[in-house]
Amino acid sequence: MPRQSRQSSRPHSRPHSREPASRRQTHPVDELLPVPRLALYGFQHVLAFYAAAVIVPVLLGNALGLSRQELVHLINADLLTCGVASIIQALGVWKIGARLPLVQGVTFTAVSPMIAIGTGAGGGTAGLLVVYGAVITAGIATFLFAPLFSKLVKYFPPVVIGTVLTIIGITLIPVALQDAAGGAHLIGTPAYGSPKNLAYALGTLLFILALVRVGKPLLSSLAVLLGLVAGTTVAWVCGDVDLGVVDQADWFGVTTPFHYGMPRFELFPIIAMLVVMLITMVETTGDVYAIGEITRKRVDADTIARALRADGVATVLGGILNSFPYVAFAENIGLVRMSRIMSRYVVAAAGVFMIALGLLPKAGSLVASIPHPVLGGAAVSMFGIVAAVGVQILGKADLREERNTLILAVSLGAALLPTTVAPFFDRMPDSVRAVLDSGITLGALTAIALNLVFNVFTGRSTMDIDWDEVEDTGTARPAGGAFAH
């Protein structure tokens, strides 16, 4: 009997020992798709990303009084750096890059501080030089601080990460709605919020929803791209797409390092940018957790450190190549969720497209000709998904606990303060306003501070994300690039 029991146990032990090997197949994040699909899905990321990518140099350039030629150079430099940064983040180099489908873009958190820094330095290219000095310094600090910050992740439980992501989505939705109404440049004119603009936006959104509703994997994965193409085509037929900018643009343009001169390093601008990068580190941490949740890929302290190093390298590169601070873009996280295409090589392909657009102003102008209402209609769904992922992560926190509920409630209120009571910040000193006049910054700082007061300093335990459970519910599926949620 003992021999029989040992013999009978062997057939059961062998399959069990081989079970992990059978499950160790290519994860959708590491799946290398055929070139045509890489190109299609990568270009979809570019279209979803483009409007938000170029808005930062446009806002800053206009605020500093730059000429049209200087503004075009800023946009090309931004796109080129975005492409390089996205490839580094997606593919990884040494200990740099999360190796996740994260698109890198200029952080909105830095817009107000950079405008304050640039105008305080006299505006124009002279102001840009002070901005670039602060950007380069902050990028180096981010790279060096990344390993230590990743060890502080335990102080960012789901209640903080979920709150930050929800704030990012809620803060970005008004930007999408503004585009849906025709764009910020039309505010105060009869065209802003006109029925025609809202029709373009609503038509694009409904077209995307219809493609997703059909349920065909290919149509669903390309829903945003097809929606943008369809909306732009309808607008062109109606005579609302201006291609004159494309004719005026050059075919080729190269961004040279320190195009405007050598950066100037001044103390207070550097301090303001360091605070901005601290917030973007929290933002990137939330984005990495979000993409890990969506793709069912484990995220640990090393992943966070590699992602933050990529932010630091991209920010230093941005300062050298006449661009700005970089962060993982929440917009494209929403696109990953919608398309269910999780390969990081798709983001690398998007990076190649962005580099090409940065070197080919005419091609970039063609993409820029997509009407604002069409972009706004598509962006509403993607920004909303970012907020939804935040709510999903908040579901891992015990919101029945009053303290956690207060962290979420007060942080949401703080995030809405800059947009609802703008005069309050106008009365602040420029150095303070440069840091706090941002819903994402103020909301994230509030969530972090309240978590320290309510949970960390009191020694209360907080719930962490169970990555074993996340992976168990995801990696057993075939590597086809689509998970059901």
Side-chain angles (χ1 to χ4, degrees):
M1 288 296 295
R3 288 181 183 177
Q4 291 177 354
S5 62
R6 284 196 297 267
Q7 289 174 355
S8 62
S9 66
R10 287 176 184 172
H12 295 286
S13 62
R14 287 177 182 175
H16 180 74
S17 64
R18 283 198 299 267
E19 184 179 353
S22 66
R23 291 165 63 95
R24 285 198 299 268
Q25 50 190 314
T26 302
H27 194 284
V29 166
D30 301 313
E31 184 180 11
L32 182 59
L33 303 177
V35 173
R37 292 178 64 194
L38 281 178
L40 270 176
Y41 296 139
F43 192 60
Q44 179 175 238
H45 270 288
V46 173
L47 291 183
F49 155 95
Y50 189 88
V54 301
I55 193 62
V56 173
V58 168
L59 290 174
L60 182 62
N62 290 336
L64 299 186
L66 299 182
S67 67
R68 178 177 174 81
Q69 184 178 2
E70 291 168 336
L71 185 57
V72 170
H73 187 88
L74 276 186
I75 293 173
N76 289 342
D78 178 27
L79 290 170
L80 176 67
T81 312
C82 284
V84 175
S86 296
I87 291 173
I88 292 174
Q89 187 72 276
L91 300 185
V93 179
W94 183 60
K95 295 182 179 181
I96 304 169
R99 295 176 175 85
L100 291 169
L102 291 167
V103 172
Q104 296 291 102
V106 178
T107 173
F108 286 93
T109 308
V111 173
S112 296
M114 289 193 298
I115 290 175
I117 292 170
T119 54
T125 56
L128 275 180
L129 296 181
V130 179
V131 170
Y132 290 145
V135 167
I136 292 173
T137 306
I140 294 173
T142 300
F143 181 89
L144 296 177
F145 189 57
L148 176 60
F149 188 89
S150 67
K151 292 182 174 60
L152 302 177
V153 169
K154 61 183 178 180
Y155 298 122
F156 302 100
V159 66
V160 173
I161 297 298
T163 297
V164 171
L165 282 171
T166 304
I167 287 172
I168 292 172
I170 291 175
T171 304
L172 291 177
I173 286 174
V175 177
L177 294 175
Q178 202 171 67
D179 271 337
H185 63 289
L186 294 181
I187 293 179
T189 68
Y192 185 73
S194 67
K196 181 173 63 174
N197 287 335
L198 296 178
Y200 285 145
L202 182 60
T204 301
L205 178 58
L206 291 177
F207 187 79
I208 292 172
L209 295 177
L211 292 178
V212 174
R213 176 63 180 85
V214 168
K216 300 293 184 182
L218 181 60
L219 289 178
S220 295
S221 62
L222 292 173
V224 174
L225 173 60
L226 295 176
L228 290 171
V229 172
T232 303
T233 302
V234 173
W236 177 73
V237 170
C238 296
D240 291 320
V241 176
D242 181 15
L243 298 179
V245 180
V246 180
D247 296 331
Q248 298 172 6
D250 295 329
W251 278 105
F252 187 73
V254 178
T255 298
T256 55
F258 306 120
H259 174 77
Y260 301 102
M262 293 304 295
R264 290 167 48 196
F265 299 88
E266 299 183 4
L267 179 60
F268 286 107
I270 288 175
I271 293 174
M273 198 56 62
L274 288 174
V275 175
V276 167
M277 290 308 293
L278 177 63
I279 300 305
T280 61
M281 293 172 83
V282 178
E283 184 179 343
T284 291
T285 300
D287 290 339
V288 173
Y289 274 119
I291 203 69
E293 182 84 6
I294 290 169
T295 61
R296 307 297 183 182
K297 185 78 170 178
R298 177 183 294 269
V299 171
D300 54 19
D302 183 60
T303 308
I304 300 295
R306 287 188 277 111
L308 294 176
R309 287 194 191 99
D311 279 0
V313 169
T315 300
V316 173
L317 190 62
I320 294 173
L321 293 180
N322 320 295
S323 191
F324 310 105
Y326 284 85
V327 69
F329 239 38
E331 292 90 326
N332 294 78
I333 293 175
L335 180 56
V336 171
R337 178 67 176 265
M338 283 189 67
S339 67
R340 294 180 293 178
I341 301 299
M342 305 177 187
S343 170
R344 57 194 175 101
Y345 296 102
V346 169
V347 169
V352 173
F353 278 117
M354 283 185 266
I355 292 173
L357 291 174
L359 297 175
L360 300 173
K362 193 175 286 292
S365 299
L366 180 62
V367 178
S369 64
I370 299 174
H372 283 275
V374 174
L375 284 169
V380 166
S381 60
M382 292 185 296
F383 293 171
I385 284 178
V386 175
V389 172
V391 173
Q392 179 178 333
I393 292 179
L394 280 170
K396 300 179 182 297
D398 185 5
L399 293 181
R400 294 170 298 179
E401 169 58 50
E402 184 181 27
R403 299 185 182 191
N404 286 339
T405 303
L406 282 174
I407 292 173
L408 172 61
V410 176
S411 300
L412 288 175
L416 295 175
L417 184 60
T419 55
T420 54
V421 194
F424 174 77
F425 294 89
D426 293 339
R427 298 183 177 92
M428 289 185 174
D430 290 342
S431 57
V432 177
R433 190 176 66 212
V435 176
L436 296 182
D437 192 10
S438 164
I440 296 174
T441 302
L442 197 56
L445 284 175
T446 303
I448 293 169
L450 291 179
N451 180 65
L452 290 174
V453 171
F454 285 158
N455 293 327
V456 177
F457 295 156
T458 58
R460 299 177 70 253
S461 61
T462 55
M463 184 182 298
D464 294 324
I465 297 176
D466 187 351
W467 289 104
D468 290 329
E469 178 185 349
V470 169
E471 289 186 327
D472 286 344
T473 58
T475 54
R477 300 179 185 273
F483 286 124
H485 294 285

